[in-house]
Amino acid sequence: MADPRPTSSADRVLRAAARVFGRAGYSGATLAAVAREAGVSQGLLRRRFDSKAELLLSAQRATFRQLHQRIIERARHGERGIDSALDALDGMWGSVRELRAGAPFLVELLSLADRDDPTGERLRAFFHESTTLLEDGIRHTFADDLGALALPPGRMAVVIRVLLQGLVIELARARTPEDFAAIDQSYSDMRELFRRFVVAKDVEPLPAAEPIPLPW
């Protein structure tokens, strides 16, 4: 699978892919449209990405890496705690919301994670990497309050990923402005719960435990 990091042209392609998929959805997007949007040749695009599925997954992976880097840089500059965490959460939701037209395909793609083929392997690698990046971001963001977190960072990362995937499923079913407004409200509610309960200084944190296996 192509690594999105080595060149600026690859970065342009991934940013363009997110915009094109967001506008046209998976079925309406084409590699030619992404190439035009990025200002690169179709030949270059096809040498880096074998299919639209790989390109979409790579765009999501690049977004998570960029968000993780942003979290780390802010933590290094002393921007830690709940406000920084909420900013990162908003960034993740924003990247999901931008791809709303591609949500039905994302749901279909998520269902392939248990397949014993290259697509399944790539999806499992994406889930592992995104969860690991989330956990690392939580550790940096709450470096001063790790002992007060309501959940250990690894388990909190899984919860956040699962909740965001649930919102993707809701986006895939949305059809009307009212549907999208209800999903945005669900995210706002999730954000508020996170704000109130992520740091539970007056509540004894849950004991450490082995991660619960998930079906993907």
Side-chain angles (χ1 to χ4, degrees), residues 2-11 14 48 61-62 65-66 129:
D3 187 331
R5 291 174 294 181
T7 68
S8 58
S9 62
D11 183 65
L14 294 173
R48 291 187 175 278
R61 173 179 280 113
R65 288 175 177 173
Q66 290 162 6
E129 179 181 0

Side-chain angles (χ1 to χ4, degrees), residues 30-52:
T30 65
L31 293 180
V34 173
R36 285 196 301 274
E37 183 92 9
V40 300
S41 69
Q42 290 189 51
L44 174 64
L45 185 65
R46 294 180 184 278
R47 284 196 297 273
R48 291 187 175 278
F49 304 99
D50 296 333
S51 64
K52 287 198 295 184

Side-chain angles (χ1 to χ4, degrees), residues 50-164:
D50 296 333
S51 64
K52 287 198 295 184
E54 182 178 351
L55 181 55
L56 180 57
L57 194 57
S58 295
Q60 286 295 89
R61 173 179 280 113
T63 297
F64 267 86
R65 288 175 177 173
Q66 290 162 6
L67 287 168
H68 174 257
Q69 188 59 38
R70 177 181 174 185
I71 292 168
I72 300 306
E73 289 299 322
R74 291 188 64 170
R76 286 174 180 166
H77 288 85
E79 298 181 46
R80 302 188 184 94
I82 189 62
D83 289 339
S84 184
L86 290 173
D87 180 76
L89 196 63
D90 289 342
M92 285 184 281
W93 171 238
S95 70
V96 171
R97 194 69 164 77
E98 282 181 0
L99 288 172
R100 61 187 178 277
F105 172 72
L106 283 174
V107 171
E108 180 182 350
L109 195 61
L110 292 174
S111 71
L112 303 179
D114 61 344
R115 285 174 44 168
D116 189 20
D117 62 12
T119 298
E121 291 175 4
R122 288 168 180 166
L123 280 166
R124 289 190 292 275
F126 171 71
F127 292 148
H128 176 74
E129 179 181 0
S130 61
T131 305
T132 299
L133 291 177
L134 277 170
E135 179 180 356
D136 188 60
I138 291 167
R139 290 186 182 280
H140 279 80
T141 301
F142 292 101
D144 302 327
D145 285 305
L146 282 178
L149 290 179
L151 288 173
R155 288 160 63 187
M156 187 177 292
V158 171
V159 168
I160 292 171
R161 179 168 63 79
V162 170
L163 288 172
L164 287 174

